[in-house]
Amino acid sequence: GAEQERAAKRGQAVDFSQIQFKEIGGAELKQMDPAAAAAAASMRSALGSDYAIALRSDAKPHEGSKTAKRKHQIGTLFANAKLNELAILEGKAAGMQAKSKTQAKYGW
């Protein structure tokens, strides 16, 4: 095939008998990394359960109608931002944890 031709041009031999395919299901793709789950749980516990309730109550008056959401009106954008704030903070915490692990691993 095309891959063999490209490999031949590079001077490499491609042995397709060595390639192994593995089937995976959708559940395996949705599984969260245990370290990321721990970082998210630690962020939720650090902020407390009241924080998520406060975010939802701040966003409630600005939710808007289906039309407002479709037209990306500022109130609905604010409501979406408030509802996504906790997820964003959890993502930042996971990123900071990964960064610190990398720094510790390589001594940066």
Side-chain angles (χ1 to χ4, degrees):
E3 184 62 32
Q4 288 175 332
E5 291 174 11
R6 280 181 267 175
K9 286 181 184 177
R10 290 190 307 259
Q12 300 171 337
V14 176
D15 186 13
F16 287 106
S17 64
Q18 299 296 325
I19 296 175
Q20 297 177 358
F21 292 97
K22 179 181 176 185
E23 285 191 36
I24 58 171
E28 293 174 1
L29 293 174
K30 292 179 184 176
Q31 183 179 3
M32 184 180 246
D33 178 35
S42 66
M43 179 59 76
R44 284 186 191 270
S45 65
L47 295 173
S49 61
D50 295 338
Y51 188 73
I53 295 169
L55 285 176
R56 287 190 186 92
S57 66
D58 285 349
K60 188 71 176 165
H62 304 284
E63 277 185 350
S65 65
K66 186 176 181 180
T67 306
K69 290 178 184 177
R70 190 175 66 238
K71 291 186 176 185
H72 305 291
Q73 291 184 352
I74 192 73
T76 58
L77 294 175
F78 174 76
N80 290 341
K82 279 295 186 183
L83 293 175
N84 291 333
E85 185 174 335
L86 194 58
I88 292 169
L89 288 173
E90 289 171 353
K92 284 183 182 180
M96 288 170 40
Q97 184 180 21
K99 183 177 178 181
S100 65
K101 282 183 179 181
T102 302
Q103 289 175 343
K105 182 178 180 180
Y106 295 110
W108 291 339

